[in-house]
CSV table of all heavy atoms in Angstrom, one decimal:
chain,number,residue,atom,x,y,z
A,1129,VAL,N,93.8,91.9,133.2
A,1129,VAL,CA,93.5,90.6,132.8
A,1129,VAL,C,94.0,90.3,131.4
A,1129,VAL,O,94.5,89.3,131.0
A,1129,VAL,CB,92.0,90.3,132.9
A,1129,VAL,CG1,91.6,89.0,132.2
A,1129,VAL,CG2,91.5,90.3,134.3
A,1130,ALA,N,93.9,91.4,130.5
A,1130,ALA,CA,94.4,91.2,129.2
A,1130,ALA,C,95.9,91.4,129.1
A,1130,ALA,O,96.5,91.3,128.0
A,1130,ALA,CB,93.8,92.3,128.3
A,1131,GLY,N,96.6,91.6,130.2
A,1131,GLY,CA,98.1,91.7,130.2
A,1131,GLY,C,98.5,93.1,129.8
A,1131,GLY,O,99.7,93.3,129.4
A,1132,LEU,N,97.7,94.1,129.9
A,1132,LEU,CA,98.1,95.5,129.6
A,1132,LEU,C,98.0,96.4,130.8
A,1132,LEU,O,97.3,96.1,131.7
A,1132,LEU,CB,97.1,96.1,128.5
A,1132,LEU,CG,97.1,95.3,127.2
A,1132,LEU,CD1,95.9,95.8,126.3
A,1132,LEU,CD2,98.4,95.4,126.4
A,1133,SER,N,98.6,97.5,130.7
A,1133,SER,CA,98.4,98.5,131.8
A,1133,SER,C,97.6,99.6,131.3
A,1133,SER,O,97.5,99.8,130.1
A,1133,SER,CB,99.8,99.0,132.3
A,1133,SER,OG,100.4,99.8,131.2
A,1134,ALA,N,97.0,100.4,132.2
A,1134,ALA,CA,96.2,101.5,131.8
A,1134,ALA,C,97.0,102.5,131.0
A,1134,ALA,O,96.6,103.2,130.1
A,1134,ALA,CB,95.5,102.1,133.0
A,1135,THR,N,98.3,102.7,131.4
A,1135,THR,CA,99.2,103.6,130.7
A,1135,THR,C,99.4,103.2,129.3
A,1135,THR,O,99.3,104.0,128.4
A,1135,THR,CB,100.5,103.7,131.5
A,1135,THR,OG1,100.2,104.1,132.8
A,1135,THR,CG2,101.4,104.7,130.9
A,1136,ALA,N,99.7,101.9,129.1
A,1136,ALA,CA,100.0,101.4,127.8
A,1136,ALA,C,98.7,101.5,126.9
A,1136,ALA,O,98.8,101.9,125.7
A,1136,ALA,CB,100.4,99.9,127.8
A,1137,ALA,N,97.6,101.3,127.4
A,1137,ALA,CA,96.3,101.3,126.6
A,1137,ALA,C,96.0,102.8,126.2
A,1137,ALA,O,95.3,103.0,125.2
A,1137,ALA,CB,95.2,100.7,127.4
A,1138,SER,N,96.4,103.8,127.0
A,1138,SER,CA,96.0,105.1,126.7
A,1138,SER,C,97.1,105.9,125.9
A,1138,SER,O,96.8,107.0,125.5
A,1138,SER,CB,95.8,105.9,128.0
A,1138,SER,OG,97.0,105.9,128.8
A,1139,ARG,N,98.2,105.3,125.6
A,1139,ARG,CA,99.2,105.9,124.8
A,1139,ARG,C,98.8,106.0,123.4
A,1139,ARG,O,98.1,105.2,122.8
A,1139,ARG,CB,100.5,105.1,124.8
A,1139,ARG,CG,101.4,105.4,126.0
A,1139,ARG,CD,102.7,104.7,125.8
A,1139,ARG,NE,102.6,103.4,126.5
A,1139,ARG,CZ,103.4,102.4,126.5
A,1139,ARG,NH1,104.4,102.5,125.7
A,1139,ARG,NH2,103.2,101.3,127.1
A,1140,PRO,N,99.1,107.1,122.7
A,1140,PRO,CA,98.8,107.3,121.3
A,1140,PRO,C,99.6,106.2,120.4
A,1140,PRO,O,100.7,105.8,120.8
A,1140,PRO,CB,99.2,108.7,120.9
A,1140,PRO,CG,100.2,109.1,122.0
A,1140,PRO,CD,99.9,108.3,123.2
A,1141,LEU,N,99.0,105.9,119.3
A,1141,LEU,CA,99.7,104.9,118.4
A,1141,LEU,C,100.9,105.6,117.8
A,1141,LEU,O,100.8,106.8,117.4
A,1141,LEU,CB,98.7,104.5,117.3
A,1141,LEU,CG,97.6,103.6,117.6
A,1141,LEU,CD1,96.7,103.4,116.4
A,1141,LEU,CD2,98.1,102.3,118.1
A,1142,HIS,N,102.0,104.9,117.8
A,1142,HIS,CA,103.2,105.4,117.1
A,1142,HIS,C,103.0,105.3,115.6
A,1142,HIS,O,103.3,106.2,114.9
A,1142,HIS,CB,104.4,104.7,117.6
A,1142,HIS,CG,105.7,105.2,117.1
A,1142,HIS,ND1,106.2,106.4,117.4
A,1142,HIS,CD2,106.5,104.7,116.1
A,1142,HIS,CE1,107.3,106.7,116.7
A,1142,HIS,NE2,107.5,105.6,115.9
A,1143,TYR,N,102.6,104.2,115.2
A,1143,TYR,CA,102.4,103.9,113.8
A,1143,TYR,C,100.8,103.9,113.6
A,1143,TYR,O,100.1,103.3,114.3
A,1143,TYR,CB,102.9,102.6,113.3
A,1143,TYR,CG,104.4,102.7,112.9
A,1143,TYR,CD1,105.4,102.6,113.8
A,1143,TYR,CD2,104.8,103.0,111.6
A,1143,TYR,CE1,106.7,102.7,113.5
A,1143,TYR,CE2,106.1,103.1,111.2
A,1143,TYR,CZ,107.1,102.9,112.2
A,1143,TYR,OH,108.4,103.0,111.8
A,1144,ARG,N,100.4,104.6,112.5
A,1144,ARG,CA,99.0,104.6,112.2
A,1144,ARG,C,98.7,103.7,111.0
A,1144,ARG,O,99.6,103.7,110.1
A,1144,ARG,CB,98.5,106.0,111.9
A,1144,ARG,CG,98.8,107.0,113.0
A,1144,ARG,CD,97.7,107.9,113.3
A,1144,ARG,NE,97.9,108.8,114.4
A,1144,ARG,CZ,97.6,108.5,115.6
A,1144,ARG,NH1,97.0,107.4,115.9
A,1144,ARG,NH2,97.9,109.4,116.6
A,1145,PRO,N,97.6,103.0,110.9
A,1145,PRO,CA,97.4,102.1,109.8
A,1145,PRO,C,97.2,103.0,108.5
A,1145,PRO,O,96.6,104.0,108.5
A,1145,PRO,CB,96.1,101.4,110.1
A,1145,PRO,CG,95.5,102.1,111.3
A,1145,PRO,CD,96.6,102.9,111.9
A,1146,LEU,N,97.6,102.4,107.4
A,1146,LEU,CA,97.3,103.1,106.1
A,1146,LEU,C,95.8,102.9,105.8
A,1146,LEU,O,95.2,101.9,106.2
A,1146,LEU,CB,98.2,102.4,105.0
A,1146,LEU,CG,99.7,102.7,105.0
A,1146,LEU,CD1,100.4,101.8,104.0
A,1146,LEU,CD2,100.0,104.1,104.8
A,1147,PRO,N,95.2,103.8,105.1
A,1147,PRO,CA,93.8,103.7,104.8
A,1147,PRO,C,93.3,102.4,104.2
A,1147,PRO,O,92.3,101.9,104.5
A,1147,PRO,CB,93.5,104.9,103.9
A,1147,PRO,CG,94.6,105.9,104.2
A,1147,PRO,CD,95.8,105.1,104.5
A,1148,ASP,N,94.2,101.8,103.3
A,1148,ASP,CA,93.8,100.6,102.7
A,1148,ASP,C,94.2,99.4,103.5
A,1148,ASP,O,93.9,98.2,103.1
A,1148,ASP,CB,94.4,100.5,101.3
A,1148,ASP,CG,95.9,100.4,101.3
A,1148,ASP,OD1,96.5,100.4,102.4
A,1148,ASP,OD2,96.5,100.3,100.2
A,1149,GLY,N,94.8,99.6,104.7
A,1149,GLY,CA,95.1,98.5,105.5
A,1149,GLY,C,96.4,97.7,105.1
A,1149,GLY,O,96.7,96.7,105.7
A,1150,SER,N,97.1,98.2,104.1
A,1150,SER,CA,98.3,97.4,103.6
A,1150,SER,C,99.5,97.6,104.4
A,1150,SER,O,100.5,97.0,104.2
A,1150,SER,CB,98.5,97.8,102.2
A,1150,SER,OG,98.9,99.2,102.1
A,1151,GLY,N,99.5,98.5,105.4
A,1151,GLY,CA,100.7,98.8,106.2
A,1151,GLY,C,100.4,99.8,107.2
A,1151,GLY,O,99.3,100.1,107.6
A,1152,ALA,N,101.5,100.5,107.7
A,1152,ALA,CA,101.4,101.5,108.7
A,1152,ALA,C,102.4,102.6,108.5
A,1152,ALA,O,103.5,102.4,107.9
A,1152,ALA,CB,101.6,100.9,110.1
A,1153,TYR,N,102.2,103.8,109.1
A,1153,TYR,CA,103.1,104.9,108.8
A,1153,TYR,C,103.2,105.8,110.1
A,1153,TYR,O,102.3,105.7,111.0
A,1153,TYR,CB,102.6,105.8,107.7
A,1153,TYR,CG,101.4,106.6,108.0
A,1153,TYR,CD1,101.6,108.0,108.3
A,1153,TYR,CD2,100.1,106.1,107.9
A,1153,TYR,CE1,100.5,108.8,108.6
A,1153,TYR,CE2,99.0,106.9,108.2
A,1153,TYR,CZ,99.2,108.2,108.6
A,1153,TYR,OH,98.1,109.0,108.9
Side-chain angles (χ1 to χ4, degrees):
V1129 168
L1132 302 171
S1133 70
T1135 304
S1138 64
R1139 274 187 266 170
L1141 290 174
H1142 181 70
Y1143 276 88
R1144 304 221 178 271
L1146 292 171
D1148 66 0
S1150 64
Y1153 74 98

